[in-house]
Amino acid sequence: MGGRGEESARRPRRRCLCGSADVRAWIARLSLDFPRSGVTASAAVPALRCGCCERVHVEPCTLERLRLVVGCELANLGVLTGEAFRHMRRALGLRACDVAQLLDLTPETISHWETGKARPNRAAFVALAAMLQDAVDRRTITRDRLGRLVEGRPPPPSLTLELR
Ligand SMILES: [Zn+2]
């Protein structure tokens, strides 16, 4: 990810690696390239910038969230490529074998998709996108559903619901 930034008014209390205390809130401009898909994602993200050495620091959790949000956008735009699939999977912190197990596929199939030997399956792509959207919304409903199916647990004998 490459980037540049612009200064903003807030000044959090923090010290730079160079030792300077002149560290200010900053907006970093980052970009993520997907050359095989013909897509470049650009984003403005909160960062910190040292007034002394000009080092720009973006928190790892911000980068993690950016990867998730970019993955959702790729899915929303219908970028059905192995490159996008791999980005989405990695943004979720899942290994190819994890995704294969959750989606009832073989790791070889995932590998074929991600290396461009075959186009990803639409249903698998959408399931991965649902997991990404859940992660952005800080929930795990799709992953939990898939996990339950993988375990093959029998459903409870009765359901109690209340509609308001
Ligand atoms: Zn510095």
Side-chain angles (χ1 to χ4, degrees):
M1 254 183 285
R4 59 196 169 79
E6 71 193 28
E7 199 159 358
S8 85
R10 281 184 305 126
R11 176 195 274 268
R13 282 192 213 99
R14 200 183 156 120
R15 200 168 272 279
C16 178
L17 290 170
C18 76
S20 169
D22 182 17
V23 174
R24 294 170 187 242
W26 187 261
I27 302 296
R29 310 274 167 190
L30 303 178
S31 62
L32 280 171
D33 279 320
F34 301 93
R36 287 189 281 129
S37 312
V39 177
T40 298
S42 301
V45 302
L48 296 171
R49 183 176 178 275
C50 175
C52 184
C53 72
E54 301 186 344
R55 182 183 273 119
V56 174
H57 176 79
V58 180
E59 291 290 339
C61 61
T62 301
L63 293 177
E64 204 175 295
R65 192 159 176 81
L66 174 62
R67 290 189 191 102
L68 289 171
V69 170
V70 166
C72 281
E73 281 305 306
L74 292 174
N76 292 344
L77 294 169
V79 184
L80 185 61
T81 63
E83 187 178 37
F85 193 93
R86 173 176 277 166
H87 171 85
M88 291 159 69
R89 173 178 68 72
R90 288 181 171 169
L92 286 165
L94 294 174
R95 296 170 301 172
C97 59
D98 299 326
V99 172
Q101 189 190 30
L102 287 171
L103 302 184
D104 204 8
L105 300 162
T106 65
E108 291 73 28
T109 299
I110 305 279
S111 168
H112 280 171
W113 294 347
E114 294 191 353
T115 55
K117 286 186 189 128
R119 202 175 175 81
N121 172 276
R122 284 203 296 263
F125 184 78
V126 169
L128 203 57
M131 282 193 271
L132 275 168
Q133 188 63 58
D134 286 346
V136 168
D137 297 337
R138 303 181 199 286
R139 56 183 199 168
T140 58
I141 185 166
T142 306
R143 179 96 188 255
D144 294 344
R145 282 175 176 161
L146 289 168
R148 229 166 272 131
L149 294 173
V150 170
E151 286 171 23
R153 256 186 283 157
S158 66
L159 297 171
T160 307
L161 305 167
E162 190 177 329
L163 302 184
R164 293 163 198 262

